[in-house]
Amino acid sequence: QVQLVESGGGLVQAGGSLRLSCAASGRTFSSYAMGWFRQAPGKEREPVAGINSGSSTYYVDSVKGRFTISRDNAKNTVYLQMNNLKPADTAVYYCAARPLYYRSNYYSYDYWGQGTQVTVSS
């Protein structure tokens, strides 16, 4: 069983930055792939970025060059550094965990956090 708690969301102006954190419980965090997903009102949940247990990283095209995912296995935490934010990035951001390898389809994830709101004003 893994419990995930996100933090770091908020309101920021376009061009600004935020860093999201996702703290995980459990002793096997390093064996999980972690994904960040987001969901805007009226839209489907979509992948944003992911990191394998081996720390290979993946990004959706719309955030490449602006967002960076990283993990600290000693702290059981995954981060999403978001720079040059745009109004289109406004959404609830969720972290999720699944064994070993990142997948972009949200239904393949076993564990989810409660979400954190990111709002980017123009």
Side-chain angles (χ1 to χ4, degrees):
Q1 188 78 6
V2 177
Q3 293 184 323
L4 304 173
V5 179
E6 300 101 334
S7 61
L11 173 64
V12 64
Q13 288 188 331
S17 298
L18 285 173
R19 187 175 83 153
L20 305 184
S21 299
C22 174
S25 66
R27 293 176 291 179
T28 59
F29 174 75
S30 61
S31 68
Y32 282 89
M34 302 298 295
W36 283 99
F37 294 79
R38 65 188 180 188
Q39 188 165 18
K43 295 188 176 181
E44 279 198 9
R45 192 166 297 190
E46 62 176 6
V48 176
I51 186 166
N52 281 345
S53 60
S55 295
S56 297
T57 58
Y58 305 87
Y59 300 93
V60 67
D61 286 346
S62 61
V63 308
K64 283 180 181 177
R66 301 188 298 123
F67 291 11
T68 303
I69 188 171
S70 61
R71 67 190 300 160
D72 185 338
N73 290 335
K75 295 183 178 180
N76 280 15
T77 302
V78 63
Y79 304 97
L80 185 68
Q81 177 67 43
M82 306 186 294
N83 298 328
N84 190 21
L85 282 160
K86 304 176 181 181
D89 296 316
T90 296
V92 178
Y93 283 70
Y94 299 89
C95 69
R98 70 182 307 282
L100 294 179
Y101 300 111
Y102 169 75
R103 295 288 183 269
S104 61
N105 51 322
Y106 67 86
Y107 49 84
S108 70
Y109 284 75
D110 301 312
Y111 305 103
W112 289 87
Q114 82 288 353
T116 186
Q117 177 70 48
V118 172
T119 303
V120 185
S121 63
S122 58

PDB file of all heavy atoms in Angstrom, residues 6-41:
ATOM      1  N   GLU A   6       0.202  15.299  -2.282  1.00  0.00           N
ATOM      2  CA  GLU A   6       0.790  16.370  -3.081  1.00  0.00           C
ATOM      3  C   GLU A   6       0.764  17.687  -2.312  1.00  0.00           C
ATOM      4  O   GLU A   6      -0.099  17.907  -1.449  1.00  0.00           O
ATOM      5  CB  GLU A   6       0.021  16.582  -4.395  1.00  0.00           C
ATOM      6  CG  GLU A   6      -0.044  15.383  -5.313  1.00  0.00           C
ATOM      7  CD  GLU A   6      -1.363  14.668  -5.214  1.00  0.00           C
ATOM      8  OE1 GLU A   6      -2.001  14.773  -4.137  1.00  0.00           O
ATOM      9  OE2 GLU A   6      -1.775  14.000  -6.174  1.00  0.00           O
ATOM     10  N   SER A   7       1.678  18.554  -2.669  1.00  0.00           N
ATOM     11  CA  SER A   7       1.696  19.906  -2.128  1.00  0.00           C
ATOM     12  C   SER A   7       2.406  20.818  -3.118  1.00  0.00           C
ATOM     13  O   SER A   7       3.057  20.335  -4.060  1.00  0.00           O
ATOM     14  CB  SER A   7       2.398  19.948  -0.760  1.00  0.00           C
ATOM     15  OG  SER A   7       3.742  19.528  -0.897  1.00  0.00           O
ATOM     16  N   GLY A   8       2.259  22.129  -2.895  1.00  0.00           N
ATOM     17  CA  GLY A   8       3.002  23.085  -3.710  1.00  0.00           C
ATOM     18  C   GLY A   8       2.188  23.820  -4.755  1.00  0.00           C
ATOM     19  O   GLY A   8       2.720  24.699  -5.440  1.00  0.00           O
ATOM     20  N   GLY A   9       0.924  23.479  -4.894  1.00  0.00           N
ATOM     21  CA  GLY A   9       0.101  24.190  -5.860  1.00  0.00           C
ATOM     22  C   GLY A   9      -0.191  25.607  -5.396  1.00  0.00           C
ATOM     23  O   GLY A   9       0.139  26.003  -4.274  1.00  0.00           O
ATOM     24  N   GLY A  10      -0.815  26.383  -6.282  1.00  0.00           N
ATOM     25  CA  GLY A  10      -1.162  27.744  -5.927  1.00  0.00           C
ATOM     26  C   GLY A  10      -1.508  28.570  -7.139  1.00  0.00           C
ATOM     27  O   GLY A  10      -1.716  28.038  -8.233  1.00  0.00           O
ATOM     28  N   LEU A  11      -1.586  29.867  -6.918  1.00  0.00           N
ATOM     29  CA  LEU A  11      -1.898  30.836  -7.969  1.00  0.00           C
ATOM     30  C   LEU A  11      -0.625  31.557  -8.359  1.00  0.00           C
ATOM     31  O   LEU A  11       0.108  32.066  -7.492  1.00  0.00           O
ATOM     32  CB  LEU A  11      -2.944  31.829  -7.448  1.00  0.00           C
ATOM     33  CG  LEU A  11      -3.272  33.028  -8.347  1.00  0.00           C
ATOM     34  CD1 LEU A  11      -3.913  32.550  -9.644  1.00  0.00           C
ATOM     35  CD2 LEU A  11      -4.192  34.000  -7.609  1.00  0.00           C
ATOM     36  N   VAL A  12      -0.369  31.610  -9.663  1.00  0.00           N
ATOM     37  CA  VAL A  12       0.846  32.249 -10.149  1.00  0.00           C
ATOM     38  C   VAL A  12       0.521  32.962 -11.453  1.00  0.00           C
ATOM     39  O   VAL A  12      -0.390  32.553 -12.185  1.00  0.00           O
ATOM     40  CB  VAL A  12       1.970  31.198 -10.334  1.00  0.00           C
ATOM     41  CG1 VAL A  12       1.608  30.191 -11.405  1.00  0.00           C
ATOM     42  CG2 VAL A  12       3.306  31.854 -10.618  1.00  0.00           C
ATOM     43  N   GLN A  13       1.245  34.004 -11.745  1.00  0.00           N
ATOM     44  CA  GLN A  13       1.062  34.709 -13.010  1.00  0.00           C
ATOM     45  C   GLN A  13       1.760  33.958 -14.135  1.00  0.00           C
ATOM     46  O   GLN A  13       2.725  33.205 -13.901  1.00  0.00           O
ATOM     47  CB  GLN A  13       1.622  36.122 -12.918  1.00  0.00           C
ATOM     48  CG  GLN A  13       0.791  37.061 -12.059  1.00  0.00           C
ATOM     49  CD  GLN A  13       1.265  38.498 -12.154  1.00  0.00           C
ATOM     50  OE1 GLN A  13       2.448  38.766 -12.383  1.00  0.00           O
ATOM     51  NE2 GLN A  13       0.348  39.437 -11.979  1.00  0.00           N
ATOM     52  N   ALA A  14       1.279  34.175 -15.334  1.00  0.00           N
ATOM     53  CA  ALA A  14       1.919  33.566 -16.504  1.00  0.00           C
ATOM     54  C   ALA A  14       3.395  33.940 -16.537  1.00  0.00           C
ATOM     55  O   ALA A  14       3.767  35.084 -16.254  1.00  0.00           O
ATOM     56  CB  ALA A  14       1.224  34.029 -17.781  1.00  0.00           C
ATOM     57  N   GLY A  15       4.224  32.945 -16.845  1.00  0.00           N
ATOM     58  CA  GLY A  15       5.662  33.132 -16.835  1.00  0.00           C
ATOM     59  C   GLY A  15       6.319  32.770 -15.517  1.00  0.00           C
ATOM     60  O   GLY A  15       7.550  32.698 -15.443  1.00  0.00           O
ATOM     61  N   GLY A  16       5.510  32.566 -14.493  1.00  0.00           N
ATOM     62  CA  GLY A  16       6.044  32.232 -13.180  1.00  0.00           C
ATOM     63  C   GLY A  16       6.361  30.761 -13.025  1.00  0.00           C
ATOM     64  O   GLY A  16       6.254  29.971 -13.982  1.00  0.00           O
ATOM     65  N   SER A  17       6.755  30.396 -11.816  1.00  0.00           N
ATOM     66  CA  SER A  17       7.190  29.022 -11.524  1.00  0.00           C
ATOM     67  C   SER A  17       6.519  28.505 -10.259  1.00  0.00           C
ATOM     68  O   SER A  17       6.180  29.280  -9.361  1.00  0.00           O
ATOM     69  CB  SER A  17       8.709  28.973 -11.326  1.00  0.00           C
ATOM     70  OG  SER A  17       9.395  29.366 -12.495  1.00  0.00           O
ATOM     71  N   LEU A  18       6.353  27.207 -10.219  1.00  0.00           N
ATOM     72  CA  LEU A  18       5.915  26.489  -9.023  1.00  0.00           C
ATOM     73  C   LEU A  18       6.660  25.172  -8.973  1.00  0.00           C
ATOM     74  O   LEU A  18       7.040  24.620 -10.010  1.00  0.00           O
ATOM     75  CB  LEU A  18       4.419  26.208  -9.060  1.00  0.00           C
ATOM     76  CG  LEU A  18       3.444  27.358  -8.800  1.00  0.00           C
ATOM     77  CD1 LEU A  18       2.010  26.889  -9.053  1.00  0.00           C
ATOM     78  CD2 LEU A  18       3.575  27.887  -7.383  1.00  0.00           C
ATOM     79  N   ARG A  19       6.830  24.645  -7.772  1.00  0.00           N
ATOM     80  CA  ARG A  19       7.368  23.294  -7.620  1.00  0.00           C
ATOM     81  C   ARG A  19       6.379  22.466  -6.822  1.00  0.00           C
ATOM     82  O   ARG A  19       6.072  22.795  -5.668  1.00  0.00           O
ATOM     83  CB  ARG A  19       8.721  23.284  -6.921  1.00  0.00           C
ATOM     84  CG  ARG A  19       9.356  21.890  -6.930  1.00  0.00           C
ATOM     85  CD  ARG A  19      10.753  21.848  -6.364  1.00  0.00           C
ATOM     86  NE  ARG A  19      10.759  21.754  -4.917  1.00  0.00           N
ATOM     87  CZ  ARG A  19      11.750  21.206  -4.205  1.00  0.00           C
ATOM     88  NH1 ARG A  19      12.810  20.699  -4.835  1.00  0.00           N
ATOM     89  NH2 ARG A  19      11.689  21.199  -2.887  1.00  0.00           N
ATOM     90  N   LEU A  20       5.892  21.425  -7.455  1.00  0.00           N
ATOM     91  CA  LEU A  20       4.997  20.487  -6.787  1.00  0.00           C
ATOM     92  C   LEU A  20       5.824  19.375  -6.156  1.00  0.00           C
ATOM     93  O   LEU A  20       6.838  18.948  -6.708  1.00  0.00           O
ATOM     94  CB  LEU A  20       4.003  19.891  -7.776  1.00  0.00           C
ATOM     95  CG  LEU A  20       3.155  20.875  -8.585  1.00  0.00           C
ATOM     96  CD1 LEU A  20       2.154  20.103  -9.450  1.00  0.00           C
ATOM     97  CD2 LEU A  20       2.453  21.868  -7.698  1.00  0.00           C
ATOM     98  N   SER A  21       5.353  18.919  -5.015  1.00  0.00           N
ATOM     99  CA  SER A  21       5.964  17.786  -4.335  1.00  0.00           C
ATOM    100  C   SER A  21       4.913  16.714  -4.117  1.00  0.00           C
ATOM    101  O   SER A  21       3.731  17.019  -3.930  1.00  0.00           O
ATOM    102  CB  SER A  21       6.546  18.207  -2.985  1.00  0.00           C
ATOM    103  OG  SER A  21       7.548  19.189  -3.127  1.00  0.00           O
ATOM    104  N   CYS A  22       5.362  15.488  -4.115  1.00  0.00           N
ATOM    105  CA  CYS A  22       4.475  14.349  -3.827  1.00  0.00           C
ATOM    106  C   CYS A  22       5.231  13.437  -2.871  1.00  0.00           C
ATOM    107  O   CYS A  22       6.217  12.796  -3.263  1.00  0.00           O
ATOM    108  CB  CYS A  22       4.101  13.625  -5.101  1.00  0.00           C
ATOM    109  SG  CYS A  22       3.157  12.110  -4.855  1.00  0.00           S
ATOM    110  N   ALA A  23       4.772  13.402  -1.637  1.00  0.00           N
ATOM    111  CA  ALA A  23       5.402  12.572  -0.616  1.00  0.00           C
ATOM    112  C   ALA A  23       4.686  11.232  -0.533  1.00  0.00           C
ATOM    113  O   ALA A  23       3.445  11.181  -0.462  1.00  0.00           O
ATOM    114  CB  ALA A  23       5.354  13.279   0.730  1.00  0.00           C
ATOM    115  N   ALA A  24       5.470  10.169  -0.540  1.00  0.00           N
ATOM    116  CA  ALA A  24       4.907   8.821  -0.536  1.00  0.00           C
ATOM    117  C   ALA A  24       5.225   8.102   0.763  1.00  0.00           C
ATOM    118  O   ALA A  24       6.301   8.274   1.342  1.00  0.00           O
ATOM    119  CB  ALA A  24       5.471   8.025  -1.708  1.00  0.00           C
ATOM    120  N   SER A  25       4.282   7.301   1.212  1.00  0.00           N
ATOM    121  CA  SER A  25       4.533   6.440   2.359  1.00  0.00           C
ATOM    122  C   SER A  25       5.072   5.106   1.854  1.00  0.00           C
ATOM    123  O   SER A  25       5.045   4.813   0.660  1.00  0.00           O
ATOM    124  CB  SER A  25       3.236   6.211   3.131  1.00  0.00           C
ATOM    125  OG  SER A  25       2.334   5.477   2.321  1.00  0.00           O
ATOM    126  N   GLY A  26       5.552   4.284   2.761  1.00  0.00           N
ATOM    127  CA  GLY A  26       5.978   2.952   2.372  1.00  0.00           C
ATOM    128  C   GLY A  26       7.474   2.849   2.186  1.00  0.00           C
ATOM    129  O   GLY A  26       8.157   3.843   1.934  1.00  0.00           O
ATOM    130  N   ARG A  27       7.966   1.614   2.250  1.00  0.00           N
ATOM    131  CA  ARG A  27       9.407   1.387   2.203  1.00  0.00           C
ATOM    132  C   ARG A  27       9.900   0.999   0.823  1.00  0.00           C
ATOM    133  O   ARG A  27      11.079   0.783   0.629  1.00  0.00           O
ATOM    134  CB  ARG A  27       9.769   0.273   3.192  1.00  0.00           C
ATOM    135  CG  ARG A  27       9.540   0.674   4.640  1.00  0.00           C
ATOM    136  CD  ARG A  27       9.808  -0.495   5.578  1.00  0.00           C
ATOM    137  NE  ARG A  27       8.799  -1.532   5.431  1.00  0.00           N
ATOM    138  CZ  ARG A  27       8.809  -2.668   6.113  1.00  0.00           C
ATOM    139  NH1 ARG A  27       9.809  -2.936   6.923  1.00  0.00           N
ATOM    140  NH2 ARG A  27       7.852  -3.550   5.953  1.00  0.00           N
ATOM    141  N   THR A  28       8.995   0.914  -0.158  1.00  0.00           N
ATOM    142  CA  THR A  28       9.396   0.453  -1.485  1.00  0.00           C
ATOM    143  C   THR A  28       9.237   1.530  -2.535  1.00  0.00           C
ATOM    144  O   THR A  28       9.069   1.231  -3.710  1.00  0.00           O
ATOM    145  CB  THR A  28       8.571  -0.779  -1.876  1.00  0.00           C
ATOM    146  OG1 THR A  28       7.168  -0.432  -1.857  1.00  0.00           O
ATOM    147  CG2 THR A  28       8.830  -1.930  -0.935  1.00  0.00           C
ATOM    148  N   PHE A  29       9.309   2.787  -2.130  1.00  0.00           N
ATOM    149  CA  PHE A  29       9.100   3.904  -3.047  1.00  0.00           C
ATOM    150  C   PHE A  29      10.019   3.796  -4.254  1.00  0.00           C
ATOM    151  O   PHE A  29       9.611   4.062  -5.378  1.00  0.00           O
ATOM    152  CB  PHE A  29       9.349   5.217  -2.310  1.00  0.00           C
ATOM    153  CG  PHE A  29       9.308   6.429  -3.184  1.00  0.00           C
ATOM    154  CD1 PHE A  29       8.096   6.927  -3.651  1.00  0.00           C
ATOM    155  CD2 PHE A  29      10.471   7.093  -3.546  1.00  0.00           C
ATOM    156  CE1 PHE A  29       8.041   8.045  -4.461  1.00  0.00           C
ATOM    157  CE2 PHE A  29      10.430   8.215  -4.349  1.00  0.00           C
ATOM    158  CZ  PHE A  29       9.217   8.706  -4.815  1.00  0.00           C
ATOM    159  N   SER A  30      11.262   3.402  -4.045  1.00  0.00           N
ATOM    160  CA  SER A  30      12.237   3.374  -5.136  1.00  0.00           C
ATOM    161  C   SER A  30      11.865   2.380  -6.234  1.00  0.00           C
ATOM    162  O   SER A  30      12.375   2.485  -7.354  1.00  0.00           O
ATOM    163  CB  SER A  30      13.627   3.058  -4.597  1.00  0.00           C
ATOM    164  OG  SER A  30      13.628   1.783  -3.968  1.00  0.00           O
ATOM    165  N   SER A  31      10.996   1.432  -5.937  1.00  0.00           N
ATOM    166  CA  SER A  31      10.608   0.433  -6.932  1.00  0.00           C
ATOM    167  C   SER A  31       9.398   0.860  -7.760  1.00  0.00           C
ATOM    168  O   SER A  31       8.968   0.130  -8.653  1.00  0.00           O
ATOM    169  CB  SER A  31      10.302  -0.910  -6.255  1.00  0.00           C
ATOM    170  OG  SER A  31       9.137  -0.802  -5.462  1.00  0.00           O
ATOM    171  N   TYR A  32       8.867   2.047  -7.481  1.00  0.00           N
ATOM    172  CA  TYR A  32       7.694   2.533  -8.194  1.00  0.00           C
ATOM    173  C   TYR A  32       8.073   3.581  -9.235  1.00  0.00           C
ATOM    174  O   TYR A  32       8.936   4.434  -9.008  1.00  0.00           O
ATOM    175  CB  TYR A  32       6.689   3.155  -7.212  1.00  0.00           C
ATOM    176  CG  TYR A  32       5.885   2.128  -6.458  1.00  0.00           C
ATOM    177  CD1 TYR A  32       6.350   1.603  -5.251  1.00  0.00           C
ATOM    178  CD2 TYR A  32       4.671   1.678  -6.948  1.00  0.00           C
ATOM    179  CE1 TYR A  32       5.617   0.654  -4.566  1.00  0.00           C
ATOM    180  CE2 TYR A  32       3.926   0.738  -6.268  1.00  0.00           C
ATOM    181  CZ  TYR A  32       4.405   0.226  -5.074  1.00  0.00           C
ATOM    182  OH  TYR A  32       3.674  -0.712  -4.405  1.00  0.00           O
ATOM    183  N   ALA A  33       7.397   3.508 -10.364  1.00  0.00           N
ATOM    184  CA  ALA A  33       7.391   4.621 -11.305  1.00  0.00           C
ATOM    185  C   ALA A  33       6.361   5.633 -10.836  1.00  0.00           C
ATOM    186  O   ALA A  33       5.306   5.251 -10.307  1.00  0.00           O
ATOM    187  CB  ALA A  33       7.051   4.147 -12.700  1.00  0.00           C
ATOM    188  N   MET A  34       6.680   6.902 -11.027  1.00  0.00           N
ATOM    189  CA  MET A  34       5.794   7.967 -10.581  1.00  0.00           C
ATOM    190  C   MET A  34       5.366   8.808 -11.781  1.00  0.00           C
ATOM    191  O   MET A  34       6.178   9.133 -12.646  1.00  0.00           O
ATOM    192  CB  MET A  34       6.506   8.848  -9.566  1.00  0.00           C
ATOM    193  CG  MET A  34       7.013   8.106  -8.330  1.00  0.00           C
ATOM    194  SD  MET A  34       5.700   7.345  -7.385  1.00  0.00           S
ATOM    195  CE  MET A  34       4.795   8.799  -6.837  1.00  0.00           C
ATOM    196  N   GLY A  35       4.107   9.156 -11.784  1.00  0.00           N
ATOM    197  CA  GLY A  35       3.599   9.999 -12.851  1.00  0.00           C
ATOM    198  C   GLY A  35       2.917  11.230 -12.293  1.00  0.00           C
ATOM    199  O   GLY A  35       2.324  11.174 -11.209  1.00  0.00           O
ATOM    200  N   TRP A  36       3.014  12.317 -13.022  1.00  0.00           N
ATOM    201  CA  TRP A  36       2.219  13.512 -12.745  1.00  0.00           C
ATOM    202  C   TRP A  36       1.171  13.621 -13.849  1.00  0.00           C
ATOM    203  O   TRP A  36       1.502  13.554 -15.036  1.00  0.00           O
ATOM    204  CB  TRP A  36       3.071  14.772 -12.713  1.00  0.00           C
ATOM    205  CG  TRP A  36       3.863  14.946 -11.462  1.00  0.00           C
ATOM    206  CD1 TRP A  36       5.185  14.653 -11.277  1.00  0.00           C
ATOM    207  CD2 TRP A  36       3.395  15.464 -10.211  1.00  0.00           C
ATOM    208  NE1 TRP A  36       5.561  14.953  -9.991  1.00  0.00           N
ATOM    209  CE2 TRP A  36       4.481  15.460  -9.312  1.00  0.00           C
ATOM    210  CE3 TRP A  36       2.156  15.947  -9.759  1.00  0.00           C
ATOM    211  CZ2 TRP A  36       4.380  15.904  -7.998  1.00  0.00           C
ATOM    212  CZ3 TRP A  36       2.047  16.388  -8.458  1.00  0.00           C
ATOM    213  CH2 TRP A  36       3.145  16.368  -7.591  1.00  0.00           C
ATOM    214  N   PHE A  37      -0.065  13.805 -13.439  1.00  0.00           N
ATOM    215  CA  PHE A  37      -1.184  13.983 -14.344  1.00  0.00           C
ATOM    216  C   PHE A  37      -1.899  15.275 -13.972  1.00  0.00           C
ATOM    217  O   PHE A  37      -1.723  15.786 -12.865  1.00  0.00           O
ATOM    218  CB  PHE A  37      -2.166  12.809 -14.245  1.00  0.00           C
ATOM    219  CG  PHE A  37      -1.582  11.505 -14.718  1.00  0.00           C
ATOM    220  CD1 PHE A  37      -0.729  10.774 -13.909  1.00  0.00           C
ATOM    221  CD2 PHE A  37      -1.895  11.014 -15.968  1.00  0.00           C
ATOM    222  CE1 PHE A  37      -0.177   9.574 -14.351  1.00  0.00           C
ATOM    223  CE2 PHE A  37      -1.363   9.816 -16.421  1.00  0.00           C
ATOM    224  CZ  PHE A  37      -0.502   9.099 -15.607  1.00  0.00           C
ATOM    225  N   ARG A  38      -2.703  15.783 -14.887  1.00  0.00           N
ATOM    226  CA  ARG A  38      -3.488  16.970 -14.561  1.00  0.00           C
ATOM    227  C   ARG A  38      -4.864  16.858 -15.208  1.00  0.00           C
ATOM    228  O   ARG A  38      -5.056  16.168 -16.208  1.00  0.00           O
ATOM    229  CB  ARG A  38      -2.789  18.244 -15.024  1.00  0.00           C
ATOM    230  CG  ARG A  38      -2.626  18.387 -16.519  1.00  0.00           C
ATOM    231  CD  ARG A  38      -1.747  19.598 -16.834  1.00  0.00           C
ATOM    232  NE  ARG A  38      -1.560  19.773 -18.272  1.00  0.00           N
ATOM    233  CZ  ARG A  38      -0.716  20.654 -18.811  1.00  0.00           C
ATOM    234  NH1 ARG A  38       0.020  21.447 -18.021  1.00  0.00           N
ATOM    235  NH2 ARG A  38      -0.611  20.761 -20.122  1.00  0.00           N
ATOM    236  N   GLN A  39      -5.793  17.553 -14.575  1.00  0.00           N
ATOM    237  CA  GLN A  39      -7.162  17.544 -15.086  1.00  0.00           C
ATOM    238  C   GLN A  39      -7.752  18.929 -14.933  1.00  0.00           C
ATOM    239  O   GLN A  39      -7.852  19.448 -13.817  1.00  0.00           O
ATOM    240  CB  GLN A  39      -8.018  16.510 -14.344  1.00  0.00           C
ATOM    241  CG  GLN A  39      -9.386  16.319 -14.953  1.00  0.00           C
ATOM    242  CD  GLN A  39     -10.076  15.066 -14.449  1.00  0.00           C
ATOM    243  OE1 GLN A  39      -9.713  14.495 -13.409  1.00  0.00           O
ATOM    244  NE2 GLN A  39     -11.075  14.606 -15.181  1.00  0.00           N
ATOM    245  N   ALA A  40      -8.117  19.508 -16.060  1.00  0.00           N
ATOM    246  CA  ALA A  40      -8.777  20.808 -16.075  1.00  0.00           C
ATOM    247  C   ALA A  40     -10.288  20.588 -16.087  1.00  0.00           C
ATOM    248  O   ALA A  40     -10.763  19.524 -16.496  1.00  0.00           O
ATOM    249  CB  ALA A  40      -8.338  21.597 -17.302  1.00  0.00           C
ATOM    250  N   PRO A  41     -11.062  21.569 -15.650  1.00  0.00           N
ATOM    251  CA  PRO A  41     -12.524  21.415 -15.621  1.00  0.00           C
ATOM    252  C   PRO A  41     -13.077  21.043 -16.995  1.00  0.00           C
ATOM    253  O   PRO A  41     -12.734  21.667 -18.003  1.00  0.00           O
ATOM    254  CB  PRO A  41     -13.013  22.798 -15.186  1.00  0.00           C
ATOM    255  CG  PRO A  41     -11.886  23.366 -14.405  1.00  0.00           C
ATOM    256  CD  PRO A  41     -10.634  22.861 -15.079  1.00  0.00           C
TER     257      PRO A  41
END
